[in-house]
């Protein structure tokens, strides 16, 4: 780690402070536990150092591998310690996986066997698997979305992104517990809190193609809030007709908050640019 940091940081005093930070250890049950390897769990600087470490261990190496060995396009997307790599052929994917495991082992890292998979995915995956008598292509989860092979209304290939069901259930469970704690707050206060929570959830997950699942999420939140309001009193008879107006007032409906990928990555140039 310090060798990688030394490529960009010449101040030895700053490197010394980072070294002390790595050796500070953690506190568990009121006792200090010395750190023998890695970065302290939960430390503020740990995500930054991990990102720098993976930049040299994975990112730069993957770029060199693509220039030296790849045949066709190679797509590498990494966020923190999660990565998705795409290849044209299965042979190249297998070759990259073997060499990646060797590369990580040199630096004391390893892949998570439960999360590492080779799948057939892309524009021609459905057709190729149908010819071999196989079912539809597998899906993969990345950054809170389940990515699926799909087609648009015009019949063109597109990657469909849906909210991961497991994370959605966890979010609904957290909302139910918080509503139980806020049960006797003013209805206006509960509604304003729910509006902030649901709006923040939609701001991230409201991508094209995911509105149906988000509509189900909103319906589940409405049901949870109605149950919480009914438990405020044994005489409470909150009808759906009355509650519907209350839900429409505070709980927003999902709308696309992000553009389509072809619009986001489209480059617009002027004049006689060769990139046009």
């Amino acid at each position: 780690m310090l060798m990688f940091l030394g490529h960009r940081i010449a101040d030895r005093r700053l490197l010394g402070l980072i070294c002390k930070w790595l050796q500070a250890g953690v506190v568990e049950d009121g006792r200090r536990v010395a750190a023998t390897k890695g970065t302290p769990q939960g430390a503020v600087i740990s995500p930054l150092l991990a990102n720098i470490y993976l930049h040299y261990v994975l990112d730069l190496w993957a770029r060199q591998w693509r220039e030296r060995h790849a045949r066709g396009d190679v797509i590498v997307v990494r966020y923190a310690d999660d990565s998705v790599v795409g290849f044209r052929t299965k042979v190249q994917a297998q070759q990259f996986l073997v060499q990646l495991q060797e590369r990580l082992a040199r630096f004391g890292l390893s892949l998570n066997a439960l999360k590492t998979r080779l799948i057939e995915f892309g524009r021609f995956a459905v057709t190729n698997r149908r010819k071999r008598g196989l079912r539809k292509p597998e899906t993969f989860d990345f950054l809170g979305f389940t990515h699926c092979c799909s087609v648009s209304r015009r019949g063109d290939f597109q990657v469909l992104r849906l909210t991961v069901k497991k994370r959605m259930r966890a979010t609904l469970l957290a909302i139910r517990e918080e509503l139980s704690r806020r049960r006797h707050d003013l209805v206006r206060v509960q509604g304003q809190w729910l509006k902030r929570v649901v709006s923040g959830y939609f701001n991230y997950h409201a991508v094209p193609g995911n509105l149906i699942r988000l509509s189900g999420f909103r319906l589940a939140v409405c049901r949870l809030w109605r149950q919480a309001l009914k438990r405020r009193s044994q005489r409470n008879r909150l009808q759906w007709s009355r509650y519907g107006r209350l839900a429409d007032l505070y709980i927003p409906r999902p709308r696309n908050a992000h553009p389509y990928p072809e619009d986001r990555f489209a480059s617009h140039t002027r004049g006689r640019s060769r990139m046009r």
Side-chain angles (χ1 to χ4, degrees):
M1 170 60 72
L2 295 179
M3 180 185 65
F4 293 151
L5 294 175
H7 290 308
R8 295 296 183 90
I9 301 176
D11 191 345
R12 295 185 178 181
R13 294 171 297 180
L14 181 57
L15 293 176
L17 289 176
I18 296 176
C19 183
K20 292 181 179 180
W21 203 328
L22 293 175
Q23 299 174 354
V26 295
V27 177
E28 295 181 358
D29 299 330
R31 300 178 56 185
R32 179 182 176 275
V33 179
T36 57
K37 61 180 180 180
T39 59
Q41 184 71 21
V44 178
I45 201 174
S46 295
L48 175 61
L49 295 180
N51 199 38
I52 296 175
Y53 196 75
L54 288 177
H55 172 72
Y56 287 98
V57 175
L58 176 59
D59 298 344
L60 297 183
W61 174 82
R63 181 185 301 177
Q64 293 180 358
W65 191 95
R66 176 169 49 190
E67 296 174 353
R68 296 176 181 177
H69 306 286
R71 296 294 183 270
D73 294 336
V74 176
I75 300 175
V76 181
V77 180
R78 182 180 68 84
Y79 182 84
D81 58 345
D82 293 334
S83 302
V84 175
V85 188
F87 301 88
R88 281 289 184 89
T89 63
K90 182 179 179 180
V91 176
Q92 287 194 13
Q94 294 173 338
Q95 180 183 1
F96 180 86
L97 179 59
V98 173
Q99 297 184 14
L100 176 61
Q101 292 173 338
E102 297 175 354
R103 170 73 175 181
L104 295 179
R106 290 177 52 190
F107 294 90
L109 301 176
S110 62
L111 296 175
N112 189 335
L114 299 178
K115 296 183 179 181
T116 304
R117 293 185 298 154
L118 286 177
I119 64 173
E120 188 175 7
F121 193 91
R123 186 181 304 274
F124 307 105
V126 177
T127 305
N128 295 338
R129 292 177 66 88
R130 187 182 296 119
K131 291 180 180 179
R132 300 196 302 268
L134 301 177
R135 302 178 61 183
K136 60 182 181 180
E138 298 181 62
T139 62
F140 66 92
D141 297 340
F142 186 62
L143 299 182
F145 291 97
T146 299
H147 295 69
C148 317
C149 292
S150 180
V151 293
S152 63
R153 295 180 179 179
R154 297 179 299 180
D156 300 329
F157 170 79
Q158 69 174 6
V159 178
L160 182 63
R161 293 172 293 173
L162 303 174
T163 305
V164 177
K165 293 182 179 180
K166 182 178 179 181
R167 294 194 177 184
M168 181 182 293
R169 288 193 295 266
T171 303
L172 291 174
L173 179 60
I175 291 176
R176 185 179 67 177
E177 294 177 353
E178 186 64 20
L179 284 175
S180 178
R181 191 181 68 85
R182 295 171 175 260
R183 181 178 303 165
H184 297 289
D185 291 351
L186 296 176
V187 176
R188 173 176 53 83
V189 176
Q190 294 184 22
Q192 292 174 352
W193 173 78
L194 274 177
K195 184 177 182 179
R196 293 193 299 268
V197 172
V198 176
S199 297
Y201 191 85
F202 287 168
N203 287 340
Y204 180 79
H205 292 90
V207 298
N210 195 32
L211 296 186
I212 295 179
R213 183 160 293 186
L214 293 183
S215 298
F217 174 82
R218 180 185 182 274
L219 180 59
V221 172
C222 292
R223 290 176 176 174
L224 292 176
W225 193 23
R226 182 171 181 266
Q227 293 175 0
L229 293 177
K230 290 179 64 177
R231 292 181 179 179
R232 288 161 61 98
S233 173
Q234 295 180 355
R235 299 180 180 180
N236 193 336
R237 297 180 180 179
L238 185 60
Q239 302 296 331
W240 270 106
S241 57
R242 178 188 172 191
Y243 174 72
R245 295 191 297 269
L246 188 64
D248 291 338
L249 179 62
Y250 289 107
I251 303 180
R253 297 183 181 275
R255 299 174 57 184
N256 283 332
H258 304 276
Y260 285 86
E262 56 267 21
D263 296 332
R264 168 174 291 182
F265 298 109
S267 59
H268 302 280
T269 59
R270 297 180 180 179
R272 299 180 179 179
S273 173
R274 297 180 180 180
M275 300 300 295
R276 186 173 55 182

